[in-house]
């Protein structure tokens, strides 16, 4: 029983995350003016589920608090109290407290005594109702099973006969009898017999009508009130009876049994809920992804060996190999999809953060979430939470004005922070935008000078000044607060994003607001890239960065004062950068024989990167240089091509900075090619 109890606890805690998100979504809608009955009903069901599960599993600290929230929502759904902005706000703060209690229960941590008391009292005060204090909590007794190492037997105190006969319209009200049977199975050993006598002929059946009934025998220690609470949502839509079973009590019963046929219908002992998903350790998925990467390398090698001569000599072999390559690609795509998760798991943590920031700063801020269903690699999701959280804190503290200042400037009293995600090609773009003060560039420059982060003779453009906020130790705050002001944070944000193979761009307008744009790869494991050659070496440029490629480009090139070499592309001068010169690669082609790859870099700008030859496009498996060798300026990683040679994956933004001297020293990046390849290989 102990093993099963721990499994149920884990399942309950996972389900609580969903219930808390439902509560936050529903209550936020109510706070924003929605008055549909579904919002209240959904919130009530969610907290009812949390309370019921917590009671069954012995999380007694959660039960009374959830009971208070449940009672308030019940009064609201029955129209006994009005739904006001104050009530929704108090309920949201209560949900935050409930989430803390659930997290503490999962970690086995005891929160301070009375931790939840103030929130409970505040909620009751706003609701203006009295809350019944009698709560029945049924706790499974794991100690009674100490002599059963397999945990298969369940000591019981009594046996109950339950007759559950749904009315014909039960299904139409979004109730599912199977859910009820699963809940009963969690309360003990249950034997179920379906009564099919109400089934009409197939031609007369209506899929929205309920025809089946059930007779159950439940062996449990739970109180009858706890059992009846399982049927709470359907009590008006069914005929229900619960009575002691005839015969002597059984001291122990096995929780798993073989199916049998009795009483004219199927007869089963339910042991565990049936799940549509399974949990897999991330390490297993990572091993699968790595194996998929090795297959991709072999696939590239095989693809290079398939040519017309093979088709002429062995047409059937050619056909089967081509089909194998297609299946391999589909397998790789499917494996990568396993790691993909909606970014919703991050986004739904942010409303609570904004509510807390409003309480601390005294500002009124509305958070808008867009693109929550956008999928991204699970590993990246885990590493994105802190950077996004810090940028929202920064926007709330530095960007959004207080209500009085906003009104004086002709703005709405409520500040708006928008958190948006979308997929663009092979990249994920996340934007954090506020309609606040914007960046005061003169103030930023002066503060950077005061802290000796830049020199007085540096001529910085608007974009370069904006990016000063990412320097270590930089802050414009006049005083240190609980939110910001210590000069740490944004530099860490930038490093974390770059570690994920991404970049940050800033666009700001004084008095209008600021938008920070994070551009990230879909996955950290596989990249769609263009293989190019410079000298005798191969490189990979991410496809998501490439705009176009140009042959015979030299006739459109020029040298301009202050800019150096440029390439005129449809009236726009782009910086012209020779990869062979930046990386000191010998044996490069002359300009007339080379190719200019137009690539997009941070900030929406473009550069023209000169290479000798375009070899082709292919998916490559990304290998970290930092893990296998050391970080190399201008290089995002490495890969192994189909011929077994190592190719470096280029970062166009860092290459542009190397060329202008704003990144790491250009000298540091020279003469590293052969050494890097030897160490990575």
């Amino acid at each position: 029983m102990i093993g099963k109890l721990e499994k149920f606890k884990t399942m309950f805690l996972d389900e609580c995350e969903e219930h808390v998100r439902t509560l936050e979504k529903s209550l936020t809608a109510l706070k924003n003016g929605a008055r549909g009955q579904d919002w209240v009903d959904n919130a009530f069901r969610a907290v009812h589920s949390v309370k019921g599960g917590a009671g069954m599993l012995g999380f007694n600290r959660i039960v009374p608090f959830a009971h208070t929230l449940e009672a308030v929502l019940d009064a609201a759904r029955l129209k006994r109290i009005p739904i006001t902005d104050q009530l929704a706000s108090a309920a949201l703060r209560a949900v935050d407290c409930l989430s803390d209690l659930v997290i503490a229960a999962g970690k086995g941590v005891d929160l301070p005594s009375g931790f939840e008391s103030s929130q409970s009292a505040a909620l009751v005060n706003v609701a203006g109702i009295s809350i019944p204090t009698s709560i029945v909590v049924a706790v499974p007794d794991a100690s009674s099973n100490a002599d059963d190492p397999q945990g298969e037997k369940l000591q019981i105190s009594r046996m109950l006969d339950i007759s559950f006969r749904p009315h014909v319209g039960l299904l139409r009200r979004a109730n599912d009898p199977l859910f009820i049977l699963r809940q009963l199975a969690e309360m003990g050993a249950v034997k179920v017999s379906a009564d099919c006598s109400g089934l009409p002929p197939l031609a007369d059946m209506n899929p929205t009508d309920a025809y089946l009934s059930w007779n159950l025998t439940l062996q449990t220690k739970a109180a009858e009130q706890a059992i009846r609470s399982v049927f709470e949502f359907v009590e008006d839509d069914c005929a229900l009876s619960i009575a002691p079973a005839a015969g002597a009590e059984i001291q122990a019963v096995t929780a798993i049994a073989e199916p049998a046929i009795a009483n004219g219908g199927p007869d089963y002992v339910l042991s565990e809920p049936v799940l549509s998903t399974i949990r897999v350790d991330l390490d297993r998925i990572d091993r699968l992804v790595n194996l998929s990467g090795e297959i991709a390398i072999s696939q590239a090698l095989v693809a290079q060996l398939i040519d017309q001569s093979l088709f002429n000599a062995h047409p059937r072999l050619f056909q089967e190999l081509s089909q194998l390559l297609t299946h391999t690609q589909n397998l790789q795509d499917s494996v990568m999809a396993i790691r993909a998760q909606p970014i919703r798991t991050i986004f739904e943590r942010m409303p609570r953060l904004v509510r807390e920031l409003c309480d601390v700063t005294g500002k009124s801020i509305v958070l808008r979430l867009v693109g929550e269903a956008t999928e991204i690699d699970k590993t990246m999701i885990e590493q994105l939470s802190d950077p996004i959280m810090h940028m929202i804190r920064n926007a709330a503290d530095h960007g959004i004005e207080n209500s009085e200042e906003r009104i004086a400037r002709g703005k709405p009293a409520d500040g708006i922070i928008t958190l948006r995600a979308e997929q663009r090609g092979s990249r994920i773009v996340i934007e954090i935008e506020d309609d606040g003060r914007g960046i005061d560039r003169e103030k930023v420059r002066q503060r950077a000078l005061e802290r000796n982060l830049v020199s007085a003779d540096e001529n910085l453009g608007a974009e370069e000044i904006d990016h000063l906020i990412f320097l270590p130790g930089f802050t414009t705050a006049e005083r240190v607060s609980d939110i910001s002001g210590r000069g740490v944070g944004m530099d860490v944000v930038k490093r974390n994003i770059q570690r994920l193979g991404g970049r940050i761009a800033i666009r700001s307008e004084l008095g209008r607001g600021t938008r920070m744009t994070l551009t990230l790869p879909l996955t950290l494991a596989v990249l769609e890239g263009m293989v190019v050659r410079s000298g005798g070496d191969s490189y990979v440029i991410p496809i998501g960065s490439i705009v176009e490629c140009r042959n015979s480009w030299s006739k459109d090139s020029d040298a301009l004062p202050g800019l150096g070499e440029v390439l005129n592309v449809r009236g726009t001068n782009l910086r012209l950068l020779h990869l062979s010169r930046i990386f000191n690669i010998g044996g490069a082609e002359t300009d007339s024989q080379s190719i200019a790859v137009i690539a997009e870099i941070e900030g929406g700008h473009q550069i023209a990167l000169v290479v000798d030859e375009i070899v082709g496009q292919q998916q490559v498996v990304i290998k970290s240089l930092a893990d296998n060798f050391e970080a190399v300026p201008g290089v995002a990683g490495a890969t192994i091509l189909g011929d077994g040679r190592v190719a470096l994956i280029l970062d166009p933004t860092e290459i542009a900075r190397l060329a202008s001297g704003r990144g790491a020293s250009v000298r540091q990046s020279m003469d590293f090619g052969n050494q890097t390849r030897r160490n990575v290989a």
Side-chain angles (χ1 to χ4, degrees):
M1 177 62 185
I2 295 176
K4 287 185 178 294
L5 184 60
E6 289 305 313
K7 185 184 297 185
F8 287 140
K9 284 184 177 181
T10 301
M11 291 170 57
F12 165 73
L13 294 170
D14 290 340
E15 290 169 359
C16 276
E17 293 184 15
E18 294 292 333
H19 295 319
V20 167
R21 284 198 288 266
T22 298
L23 280 163
E24 289 187 335
K25 182 177 181 179
S26 300
L27 292 171
T28 299
L30 293 170
K31 186 177 185 298
N32 293 337
R35 289 299 178 263
Q37 184 66 26
D38 285 349
W39 294 115
V40 189
D41 290 344
N42 291 341
F44 174 79
R45 289 191 180 99
V47 73
H48 176 74
S49 298
V50 172
K51 180 184 122 176
M56 283 303 304
L57 294 170
F59 294 131
N60 297 337
R61 186 80 178 266
I62 297 173
V63 176
F65 187 79
H67 176 70
T68 300
L69 179 56
E70 178 192 42
V72 170
L73 292 174
D74 188 41
R77 76 180 182 122
L78 297 176
K79 306 291 194 296
R80 292 174 183 160
I81 60 174
I83 300 172
T84 63
D85 179 74
Q86 292 79 9
L87 180 65
S89 297
L92 278 168
R93 287 192 289 272
V95 171
D96 294 340
C97 184
L98 178 64
S99 178
D100 289 337
L101 290 171
V102 170
I103 292 171
K107 294 181 177 179
V109 175
D110 253 343
L111 292 174
S113 178
F115 171 81
E116 65 272 31
S117 300
S118 60
Q119 291 294 347
S120 181
L123 180 61
V124 172
N125 182 57
V126 171
I129 62 174
S130 59
I131 307 296
T133 56
S134 58
I135 307 171
V136 176
V137 181
V139 184
D141 184 5
S143 63
S144 63
N145 239 3
D147 59 341
D148 181 11
Q150 300 300 320
E152 290 291 340
K153 292 187 175 180
L154 183 66
Q155 299 296 323
I156 65 169
S157 59
R158 59 180 178 156
M159 208 170 202
L160 298 173
D161 283 338
I162 302 173
S163 174
F164 173 39
R165 304 192 174 280
H167 296 164
V168 70
L170 179 139
L171 298 177
R172 300 174 197 160
R173 281 173 276 281
N175 289 306
D176 187 351
L178 182 59
F179 177 73
I180 294 172
L181 301 183
R182 289 173 180 168
Q183 283 191 296
L184 291 173
E186 294 177 11
M187 302 176 79
V190 60
K191 192 174 183 180
V192 184
S193 176
D195 182 355
C196 307
S197 59
L199 281 173
L202 183 61
D204 298 333
M205 288 185 66
N206 186 334
T208 62
D209 288 346
Y211 299 110
L212 299 179
S213 299
W214 289 271
N215 296 309
L216 309 95
T217 301
L218 175 65
Q219 227 169 346
T220 183
K221 281 186 175 182
E224 182 174 329
Q225 183 174 344
I227 297 169
R228 288 189 177 276
S229 70
V230 173
F231 297 90
E232 182 174 0
F233 291 116
V234 298
E235 59 187 357
D236 296 330
D237 290 316
C238 72
L240 176 67
S241 68
I242 303 175
E249 292 183 347
I250 302 175
Q251 295 305 310
V253 63
T254 301
I256 301 176
E258 296 295 327
I261 302 296
N263 301 324
D267 194 349
Y268 297 91
V269 173
L270 301 183
S271 57
E272 296 182 9
V274 177
L275 301 178
S276 59
T277 59
I278 61 171
R279 298 187 178 278
V280 181
D281 290 339
L282 189 58
D283 287 343
R284 292 188 178 186
I285 296 178
D286 287 340
R287 289 197 296 271
L288 188 60
V289 170
N290 290 335
L291 180 58
S292 175
E294 298 303 323
I295 292 175
I297 294 172
S298 300
Q299 177 191 18
L301 177 59
V302 173
Q304 287 188 348
L305 297 176
I306 296 179
D307 56 18
Q308 188 63 34
S309 62
L310 179 63
F311 175 76
N312 294 335
H314 304 283
R316 179 67 186 277
L317 176 61
F318 181 92
Q319 180 182 355
E320 295 301 329
L321 281 175
S322 299
Q323 189 68 25
L324 176 62
L325 294 180
T326 301
H327 291 326
T328 302
Q329 183 63 58
N330 292 337
L331 173 64
Q332 187 176 2
D333 293 341
S334 298
V335 169
M336 297 311 302
I338 294 175
R339 288 168 57 112
Q341 288 190 347
I343 204 167
R344 178 184 296 109
T345 53
I346 296 178
F347 278 26
E348 290 180 340
R349 303 174 196 170
M350 301 306 153
R352 176 178 182 177
L353 171 65
V354 171
R355 290 196 296 273
E356 292 173 347
L357 291 171
C358 289
D359 291 340
V360 172
T361 63
K363 299 176 181 178
S364 180
I365 304 173
V366 175
L367 176 65
R368 293 178 178 171
L369 303 178
V370 182
E372 301 159 83
T374 303
E375 290 191 335
I376 193 170
D377 191 289
K378 175 178 173 60
T379 306
M380 299 182 70
I381 283 182
E382 294 169 350
Q383 299 180 55
L384 274 175
S385 181
D386 286 345
I388 291 177
M389 188 177 296
H390 188 88
M391 284 186 281
I392 289 179
R393 292 167 66 92
N394 199 62
D397 195 33
H398 294 291
I400 300 294
E401 313 94 331
N402 58 43
S403 296
E404 294 77 11
E405 185 179 347
R406 290 180 64 84
I407 293 173
R409 293 184 175 185
K411 295 182 178 182
D414 295 339
I416 297 175
I417 297 177
T418 302
L419 180 57
R420 181 186 297 109
E422 63 176 319
Q423 181 177 341
R424 297 179 188 170
S426 61
R427 312 284 286 182
I428 292 292
V429 177
I430 301 172
E431 294 179 343
I432 300 94
E433 184 175 7
D434 68 74
D435 66 343
R437 299 185 180 93
I439 295 178
D440 186 336
R441 295 189 175 96
E442 183 57 33
K443 182 178 180 180
V444 168
R445 187 175 184 279
Q446 288 300 323
R447 188 57 57 92
L449 287 171
E450 293 170 8
R451 292 178 174 257
N452 296 318
L453 299 174
V454 297
S455 60
D457 58 350
E458 285 191 68
N459 185 20
L460 302 176
E463 179 188 346
E464 293 169 311
I465 293 176
D466 289 346
H467 278 82
L468 290 176
I469 68 173
F470 293 115
L471 293 177
F474 181 86
T475 180
T476 57
E478 301 297 335
R479 60 184 178 84
V480 173
S481 70
D482 291 337
I483 302 175
S484 61
R486 294 176 175 82
V488 296
M490 293 304 288
D491 60 318
V492 177
V493 167
K494 184 175 182 179
R495 286 202 302 272
N496 288 345
I497 297 302
Q498 289 177 336
R499 190 178 298 119
L500 293 172
R503 56 181 185 267
I504 303 181
I506 304 176
R507 288 198 175 182
S508 182
E509 186 177 349
L510 190 62
R512 300 291 296 275
T514 301
R515 181 172 68 222
M516 294 194 178
T517 303
L518 313 182
T519 306
L520 299 152
L522 278 174
T523 175
L524 299 178
V526 177
L527 172 75
E528 194 72 29
M530 184 74 77
V531 181
V532 300
R533 187 176 59 81
S534 182
D537 300 327
S538 295
Y539 299 87
V540 177
I541 303 175
I543 284 291
S545 301
I546 297 177
V547 178
E548 62 178 295
C549 300
R550 297 173 70 93
N551 294 315
S552 306
W553 55 269
S554 55
K555 58 183 175 56
D556 297 319
S557 63
D558 200 354
L560 297 179
L563 291 178
E565 285 188 279
V566 297
L567 178 65
N568 188 283
V569 178
R570 291 181 288 277
T572 301
N573 288 323
L574 307 181
R575 294 173 62 200
L576 189 62
L577 307 177
H578 295 256
L579 187 63
S580 59
R581 298 177 189 174
I582 294 173
F583 287 158
N584 196 25
I585 303 168
E589 299 287 353
T590 62
D591 289 350
S592 61
Q593 297 172 305
S594 58
I595 296 172
V597 178
I598 312 302
E600 185 176 359
I601 62 173
E602 192 174 273
H605 304 295
Q606 295 179 358
I607 60 171
L609 190 62
V610 179
V611 299
D612 294 355
E613 178 187 3
I614 293 178
V615 178
Q617 178 180 339
Q618 70 178 70
Q619 254 189 1
V620 297
V621 180
I622 303 172
K623 303 291 185 181
S624 170
L625 280 181
D627 293 343
N628 296 285
F629 175 54
E630 63 183 36
V632 177
V635 177
T639 189
I640 302 174
L641 299 178
D643 59 4
R645 299 180 65 189
V646 174
L648 301 179
I649 301 171
L650 304 179
D651 183 337
T653 297
E654 288 302 313
I655 287 178
R657 288 179 176 163
L658 279 173
S660 64
R662 293 204 306 272
S665 168
V666 176
R667 178 61 55 187
Q668 290 178 338
S669 69
M670 293 183 174
D671 298 323
F672 72 90
N674 292 333
Q675 181 187 4
T676 302
R677 288 175 180 78
R678 285 195 299 269
N679 283 276
V680 173

